[in-house]
Amino acid sequence: MRDVVIAGVGMHRFGKHLDRSLKQMGSDAAWAAIDDAGVEPRRIGCAYVGNSLGGLLTGQEGVRGQVILSEAGLDEIPVVNVENACASATTALRGAWLEVAAGTCDVALALGVEKMFVGDTARSLAALAADSEIDLARQGMQFSAVYAAHPKYNLRGRMEQYGWSARDFADVVVKNSRNGSLNPNAQHRRALSAEQVLGSPMISDPLTLFMCSSIGDGAAAAIVCAAELAQQLTDSIPVSVAAIKLRSGRTFTTGDEGFSTLREMVGELYDETGVGPEDIDVAEVHDAMAPIELLVYEQLGLCEPGEGPRLLREGVTALGGAHPVNPSGGLTSRGHPVGATGLAQVAELVWQLRGHAGARQAKERPLVALAHNQGGALAGMDSAAYALTLLMR
Amino acid sequence: MRDVVIAGVGMHRFGKHLDRSLKQMGSDAAWAAIDDAGVEPRRIGCAYVGNSLGGLLTGQEGVRGQVILSEAGLDEIPVVNVENACASATTALRGAWLEVAAGTCDVALALGVEKMFVGDTARSLAALAADSEIDLARQGMQFSAVYAAHPKYNLRGRMEQYGWSARDFADVVVKNSRNGSLNPNAQHRRALSAEQVLGSPMISDPLTLFMCSSIGDGAAAAIVCAAELAQQLTDSIPVSVAAIKLRSGRTFTTGDEGFSTLREMVGELYDETGVGPEDIDVAEVHDAMAPIELLVYEQLGLCEPGEGPRLLREGVTALGGAHPVNPSGGLTSRGHPVGATGLAQVAELVWQLRGHAGARQAKERPLVALAHNQGGALAGMDSAAYALTLLMR
């Protein structure tokens, strides 16, 4: 297979955009990526479009990508609409990568887009419930409560085992909200104190409101290109796609097995690329709820089990630290429009690797960047989709 | 890229199955394909699952494939949920083919499944409307009326230009319903006379009820495998995938341009594979409404424009003819559960190429088979997705 680069990225700012449709946000992000890559649109040989909730929330059940791309003026190419809950956008990126790597085309578009604010919050929440991130939600629990109660996360057990406190979870939000305050594409741009996080309404003990990602609208896109043709076809600073991995979790019986699929994927990623946790210059991880970030530190090998709060206290994962995590603000601050999130992570990492992240530049010259994205929690099954993307300058 | 074969196929009979869920039908079809291939399930390295209407009709908006495959006992593999309206299943097959051809895995599962009967026909029809096969349906027209009125098909114009009559359209159904009567997987198994077709209720002039595909439930699946490993990993009669093409139509201004994308795709398919229309031993085409079959004869090069009715009269496209079309009964008789159709076409062609089609075997020793599948008609745009699959024994 051919080497592949990301030649351009683009976003439609995440937020509450009652006046913006899937079409408009998706088309804007696609064109932002095309312009960023400096590629001629007619060179785009195929498109993968990730979206999760558009059927139930907008009524557009079928051919969502074609509806969006026809608005963007892109037709007569293979368009594949993909869905993998909160990992939909990374699934789209993987599809575009595979097409270019396999040689079916030289340039491909990956787009992730979601519209969750439809002027009827009950409907938005019902769609999330039906999103099956959530057999539990059908029992009348809120989305966030799934995380608090899910045996995979076992938050109460971990708090007891490691001496973690709600304050540790709040510290994740303090870091990420500061990063988000520096990100013009972020949904929430207020830097929060630990007191503000802990004092926000309790959603599902131990999770308070500001520890939880909110619903949101937005889009993100990437142009991928065959590495050997990037100089000829694009006008940008290419970033290499070292690996993209996608996998469904295993059916599990105890909480300890909950993250075993992710752990194996990370191990394979490191083995295959020769990269280790010490090489990760910057990462975006799926902090749908703040404590997940601490758990992912462990899975990525950035620390031993239970040591996440120490990394936070020592500034290891802050901007300027050894391994900055979620410089964009992460899901809790940059926002989490389900089907757009994975490509927003990748867009951020491309900007970081280029040194174009402005006030939130995580390091002066990062070389290696990792995105962790996951989606969908079925009863008795680990995440329905885990996705890892390793990028290199 | 590596050569790829289809090592096994399976179906859940199409029909009205109020007591069967997406999970059950999908799992049954997947296992039928696995058993047919004689492959060990743990060899399956990834899965592509096509479904179009599950969000609106079953409430299962997210990670549909994982929900189905976890029922089937398949986890810890990449699962990609794809959607392309009536071409969803062929899109799934193309994804599985690409993974194996590119070498990310050696064996992949493609599954298409749809549940349209939910005990509330109004809801089923509303979902189809929202399926955007249909801006027109939003104006209060029935699904079928789109076909009658769409400038791409221009049925009235063609009737005038070529002297076609409603009887010609009925003759398509006479042929296909006879084939369907011989197919144990078909939804409608009554061989119809031209009089019965013409005498059925008028849906949208010139289309009568029996000229239109109906709503239905069902599933179809295929196991694809690297050709070089088929003998080692499977226990079946492999069928080669010579080509799979997927493309969105162009935005058009006049009816004549309507099929231009399909025409170009067919030309490329023939150029790239060295196959010509004279070589097509058997075909399954997308007769969502009977007249489409006549139009597709032309696009495939089986006849000159306007000559479709002659092919029917001369038996060229009947079982035993030079180019049998829709031996399964096609969409009008075998049935058309939207997201399952493309793989039902492919399953039929695999059975035909193996000589295992029983009473509906189209030819004694067919070598070359073609499936034409399409989906989604946006306002001002040709089909949202055209898909062609060329198979060879």
PDB file of all heavy atoms in Angstrom, chain B residues 355-375:
ATOM      1  N   GLY B 355     -23.839 -22.643 -10.814  1.00  0.00           N
ATOM      2  CA  GLY B 355     -24.796 -23.616 -11.345  1.00  0.00           C
ATOM      3  C   GLY B 355     -25.706 -24.191 -10.282  1.00  0.00           C
ATOM      4  O   GLY B 355     -26.230 -25.297 -10.427  1.00  0.00           O
ATOM      5  N   HIS B 356     -25.893 -23.433  -9.215  1.00  0.00           N
ATOM      6  CA  HIS B 356     -26.696 -23.909  -8.089  1.00  0.00           C
ATOM      7  C   HIS B 356     -28.032 -23.195  -7.952  1.00  0.00           C
ATOM      8  O   HIS B 356     -28.572 -23.103  -6.853  1.00  0.00           O
ATOM      9  CB  HIS B 356     -25.911 -23.717  -6.772  1.00  0.00           C
ATOM     10  CG  HIS B 356     -24.719 -24.600  -6.648  1.00  0.00           C
ATOM     11  ND1 HIS B 356     -23.817 -24.509  -5.614  1.00  0.00           N
ATOM     12  CD2 HIS B 356     -24.274 -25.627  -7.431  1.00  0.00           C
ATOM     13  CE1 HIS B 356     -22.862 -25.412  -5.761  1.00  0.00           C
ATOM     14  NE2 HIS B 356     -23.124 -26.106  -6.863  1.00  0.00           N
ATOM     15  N   ALA B 357     -28.557 -22.645  -9.041  1.00  0.00           N
ATOM     16  CA  ALA B 357     -29.775 -21.841  -8.929  1.00  0.00           C
ATOM     17  C   ALA B 357     -31.047 -22.649  -9.144  1.00  0.00           C
ATOM     18  O   ALA B 357     -32.142 -22.090  -9.221  1.00  0.00           O
ATOM     19  CB  ALA B 357     -29.711 -20.645  -9.889  1.00  0.00           C
ATOM     20  N   GLY B 358     -30.902 -23.936  -9.258  1.00  0.00           N
ATOM     21  CA  GLY B 358     -32.087 -24.796  -9.327  1.00  0.00           C
ATOM     22  C   GLY B 358     -32.979 -24.485 -10.515  1.00  0.00           C
ATOM     23  O   GLY B 358     -32.487 -24.280 -11.636  1.00  0.00           O
ATOM     24  N   ALA B 359     -34.277 -24.430 -10.255  1.00  0.00           N
ATOM     25  CA  ALA B 359     -35.250 -24.272 -11.341  1.00  0.00           C
ATOM     26  C   ALA B 359     -35.088 -22.957 -12.078  1.00  0.00           C
ATOM     27  O   ALA B 359     -35.549 -22.806 -13.208  1.00  0.00           O
ATOM     28  CB  ALA B 359     -36.667 -24.367 -10.770  1.00  0.00           C
ATOM     29  N   ARG B 360     -34.434 -21.984 -11.464  1.00  0.00           N
ATOM     30  CA  ARG B 360     -34.267 -20.688 -12.138  1.00  0.00           C
ATOM     31  C   ARG B 360     -32.851 -20.512 -12.681  1.00  0.00           C
ATOM     32  O   ARG B 360     -32.414 -19.395 -12.971  1.00  0.00           O
ATOM     33  CB  ARG B 360     -34.643 -19.540 -11.190  1.00  0.00           C
ATOM     34  CG  ARG B 360     -33.736 -19.409 -10.009  1.00  0.00           C
ATOM     35  CD  ARG B 360     -34.186 -18.346  -9.019  1.00  0.00           C
ATOM     36  NE  ARG B 360     -33.128 -18.076  -8.072  1.00  0.00           N
ATOM     37  CZ  ARG B 360     -32.763 -18.898  -7.083  1.00  0.00           C
ATOM     38  NH1 ARG B 360     -33.399 -20.035  -6.898  1.00  0.00           N
ATOM     39  NH2 ARG B 360     -31.774 -18.574  -6.272  1.00  0.00           N
ATOM     40  N   GLN B 361     -32.082 -21.607 -12.807  1.00  0.00           N
ATOM     41  CA  GLN B 361     -30.737 -21.514 -13.404  1.00  0.00           C
ATOM     42  C   GLN B 361     -30.870 -20.885 -14.792  1.00  0.00           C
ATOM     43  O   GLN B 361     -31.590 -21.383 -15.650  1.00  0.00           O
ATOM     44  CB  GLN B 361     -30.105 -22.913 -13.505  1.00  0.00           C
ATOM     45  CG  GLN B 361     -28.672 -22.927 -14.033  1.00  0.00           C
ATOM     46  CD  GLN B 361     -27.684 -22.263 -13.067  1.00  0.00           C
ATOM     47  OE1 GLN B 361     -27.786 -22.411 -11.854  1.00  0.00           O
ATOM     48  NE2 GLN B 361     -26.749 -21.499 -13.622  1.00  0.00           N
ATOM     49  N   ALA B 362     -30.169 -19.779 -15.000  1.00  0.00           N
ATOM     50  CA  ALA B 362     -30.389 -18.978 -16.201  1.00  0.00           C
ATOM     51  C   ALA B 362     -29.733 -19.572 -17.428  1.00  0.00           C
ATOM     52  O   ALA B 362     -30.244 -19.441 -18.543  1.00  0.00           O
ATOM     53  CB  ALA B 362     -29.869 -17.555 -15.967  1.00  0.00           C
ATOM     54  N   LYS B 363     -28.586 -20.209 -17.213  1.00  0.00           N
ATOM     55  CA  LYS B 363     -27.826 -20.826 -18.306  1.00  0.00           C
ATOM     56  C   LYS B 363     -27.115 -22.027 -17.722  1.00  0.00           C
ATOM     57  O   LYS B 363     -26.878 -22.092 -16.513  1.00  0.00           O
ATOM     58  CB  LYS B 363     -26.756 -19.872 -18.837  1.00  0.00           C
ATOM     59  CG  LYS B 363     -27.194 -18.957 -19.922  1.00  0.00           C
ATOM     60  CD  LYS B 363     -25.979 -18.235 -20.478  1.00  0.00           C
ATOM     61  CE  LYS B 363     -26.421 -17.227 -21.528  1.00  0.00           C
ATOM     62  NZ  LYS B 363     -25.287 -16.435 -22.001  1.00  0.00           N
ATOM     63  N   GLU B 364     -26.667 -22.910 -18.592  1.00  0.00           N
ATOM     64  CA  GLU B 364     -26.044 -24.117 -18.075  1.00  0.00           C
ATOM     65  C   GLU B 364     -24.698 -23.822 -17.418  1.00  0.00           C
ATOM     66  O   GLU B 364     -24.428 -24.255 -16.315  1.00  0.00           O
ATOM     67  CB  GLU B 364     -25.880 -25.147 -19.203  1.00  0.00           C
ATOM     68  CG  GLU B 364     -25.769 -26.568 -18.660  1.00  0.00           C
ATOM     69  CD  GLU B 364     -25.759 -27.574 -19.799  1.00  0.00           C
ATOM     70  OE1 GLU B 364     -26.273 -27.253 -20.903  1.00  0.00           O
ATOM     71  OE2 GLU B 364     -25.228 -28.690 -19.589  1.00  0.00           O
ATOM     72  N   ARG B 365     -23.850 -23.087 -18.105  1.00  0.00           N
ATOM     73  CA  ARG B 365     -22.518 -22.812 -17.534  1.00  0.00           C
ATOM     74  C   ARG B 365     -22.145 -21.335 -17.715  1.00  0.00           C
ATOM     75  O   ARG B 365     -21.258 -21.015 -18.511  1.00  0.00           O
ATOM     76  CB  ARG B 365     -21.467 -23.697 -18.198  1.00  0.00           C
ATOM     77  CG  ARG B 365     -21.623 -25.183 -17.849  1.00  0.00           C
ATOM     78  CD  ARG B 365     -20.496 -26.025 -18.457  1.00  0.00           C
ATOM     79  NE  ARG B 365     -19.176 -25.607 -17.986  1.00  0.00           N
ATOM     80  CZ  ARG B 365     -18.660 -25.959 -16.819  1.00  0.00           C
ATOM     81  NH1 ARG B 365     -19.342 -26.713 -15.990  1.00  0.00           N
ATOM     82  NH2 ARG B 365     -17.451 -25.567 -16.477  1.00  0.00           N
ATOM     83  N   PRO B 366     -22.800 -20.470 -16.972  1.00  0.00           N
ATOM     84  CA  PRO B 366     -22.478 -19.045 -17.119  1.00  0.00           C
ATOM     85  C   PRO B 366     -21.068 -18.753 -16.598  1.00  0.00           C
ATOM     86  O   PRO B 366     -20.611 -19.376 -15.637  1.00  0.00           O
ATOM     87  CB  PRO B 366     -23.532 -18.354 -16.250  1.00  0.00           C
ATOM     88  CG  PRO B 366     -23.945 -19.375 -15.262  1.00  0.00           C
ATOM     89  CD  PRO B 366     -23.813 -20.711 -15.935  1.00  0.00           C
ATOM     90  N   LEU B 367     -20.399 -17.820 -17.255  1.00  0.00           N
ATOM     91  CA  LEU B 367     -19.031 -17.460 -16.857  1.00  0.00           C
ATOM     92  C   LEU B 367     -18.946 -16.028 -16.326  1.00  0.00           C
ATOM     93  O   LEU B 367     -18.105 -15.734 -15.479  1.00  0.00           O
ATOM     94  CB  LEU B 367     -18.085 -17.596 -18.057  1.00  0.00           C
ATOM     95  CG  LEU B 367     -17.871 -19.009 -18.592  1.00  0.00           C
ATOM     96  CD1 LEU B 367     -17.042 -18.969 -19.887  1.00  0.00           C
ATOM     97  CD2 LEU B 367     -17.162 -19.867 -17.549  1.00  0.00           C
ATOM     98  N   VAL B 368     -19.794 -15.163 -16.854  1.00  0.00           N
ATOM     99  CA  VAL B 368     -19.695 -13.735 -16.532  1.00  0.00           C
ATOM    100  C   VAL B 368     -21.051 -13.227 -16.063  1.00  0.00           C
ATOM    101  O   VAL B 368     -22.064 -13.469 -16.719  1.00  0.00           O
ATOM    102  CB  VAL B 368     -19.246 -12.924 -17.775  1.00  0.00           C
ATOM    103  CG1 VAL B 368     -19.226 -11.427 -17.463  1.00  0.00           C
ATOM    104  CG2 VAL B 368     -17.882 -13.393 -18.258  1.00  0.00           C
ATOM    105  N   ALA B 369     -21.042 -12.519 -14.930  1.00  0.00           N
ATOM    106  CA  ALA B 369     -22.305 -12.036 -14.359  1.00  0.00           C
ATOM    107  C   ALA B 369     -22.149 -10.586 -13.913  1.00  0.00           C
ATOM    108  O   ALA B 369     -21.092 -10.196 -13.398  1.00  0.00           O
ATOM    109  CB  ALA B 369     -22.719 -12.909 -13.176  1.00  0.00           C
ATOM    110  N   LEU B 370     -23.193  -9.811 -14.096  1.00  0.00           N
ATOM    111  CA  LEU B 370     -23.129  -8.376 -13.781  1.00  0.00           C
ATOM    112  C   LEU B 370     -24.318  -7.980 -12.909  1.00  0.00           C
ATOM    113  O   LEU B 370     -25.453  -8.346 -13.199  1.00  0.00           O
ATOM    114  CB  LEU B 370     -23.162  -7.566 -15.084  1.00  0.00           C
ATOM    115  CG  LEU B 370     -23.119  -6.043 -14.955  1.00  0.00           C
ATOM    116  CD1 LEU B 370     -21.779  -5.577 -14.390  1.00  0.00           C
ATOM    117  CD2 LEU B 370     -23.373  -5.387 -16.310  1.00  0.00           C
ATOM    118  N   ALA B 371     -24.035  -7.222 -11.846  1.00  0.00           N
ATOM    119  CA  ALA B 371     -25.104  -6.648 -11.021  1.00  0.00           C
ATOM    120  C   ALA B 371     -25.111  -5.135 -11.153  1.00  0.00           C
ATOM    121  O   ALA B 371     -24.048  -4.498 -11.075  1.00  0.00           O
ATOM    122  CB  ALA B 371     -24.920  -7.045  -9.557  1.00  0.00           C
ATOM    123  N   HIS B 372     -26.296  -4.587 -11.368  1.00  0.00           N
ATOM    124  CA  HIS B 372     -26.476  -3.131 -11.424  1.00  0.00           C
ATOM    125  C   HIS B 372     -27.414  -2.733 -10.294  1.00  0.00           C
ATOM    126  O   HIS B 372     -28.528  -3.228 -10.185  1.00  0.00           O
ATOM    127  CB  HIS B 372     -27.084  -2.726 -12.769  1.00  0.00           C
ATOM    128  CG  HIS B 372     -27.864  -1.440 -12.702  1.00  0.00           C
ATOM    129  ND1 HIS B 372     -29.246  -1.407 -12.640  1.00  0.00           N
ATOM    130  CD2 HIS B 372     -27.458  -0.161 -12.657  1.00  0.00           C
ATOM    131  CE1 HIS B 372     -29.653  -0.150 -12.562  1.00  0.00           C
ATOM    132  NE2 HIS B 372     -28.601   0.623 -12.571  1.00  0.00           N
ATOM    133  N   ASN B 373     -26.936  -1.832  -9.449  1.00  0.00           N
ATOM    134  CA  ASN B 373     -27.655  -1.422  -8.243  1.00  0.00           C
ATOM    135  C   ASN B 373     -27.552   0.103  -8.191  1.00  0.00           C
ATOM    136  O   ASN B 373     -26.536   0.671  -8.539  1.00  0.00           O
ATOM    137  CB  ASN B 373     -26.919  -2.084  -7.052  1.00  0.00           C
ATOM    138  CG  ASN B 373     -27.539  -1.871  -5.681  1.00  0.00           C
ATOM    139  OD1 ASN B 373     -26.820  -1.913  -4.688  1.00  0.00           O
ATOM    140  ND2 ASN B 373     -28.830  -1.658  -5.588  1.00  0.00           N
ATOM    141  N   GLN B 374     -28.616   0.752  -7.782  1.00  0.00           N
ATOM    142  CA  GLN B 374     -28.532   2.214  -7.682  1.00  0.00           C
ATOM    143  C   GLN B 374     -29.415   2.689  -6.547  1.00  0.00           C
ATOM    144  O   GLN B 374     -30.312   1.962  -6.102  1.00  0.00           O
ATOM    145  CB  GLN B 374     -28.933   2.890  -8.994  1.00  0.00           C
ATOM    146  CG  GLN B 374     -30.377   2.676  -9.395  1.00  0.00           C
ATOM    147  CD  GLN B 374     -30.695   3.293 -10.762  1.00  0.00           C
ATOM    148  OE1 GLN B 374     -29.995   3.055 -11.735  1.00  0.00           O
ATOM    149  NE2 GLN B 374     -31.747   4.082 -10.829  1.00  0.00           N
ATOM    150  N   GLY B 375     -29.139   3.899  -6.052  1.00  0.00           N
ATOM    151  CA  GLY B 375     -29.930   4.366  -4.921  1.00  0.00           C
ATOM    152  C   GLY B 375     -29.930   5.866  -4.764  1.00  0.00           C
ATOM    153  O   GLY B 375     -28.934   6.535  -5.010  1.00  0.00           O
TER     154      GLY B 375
END
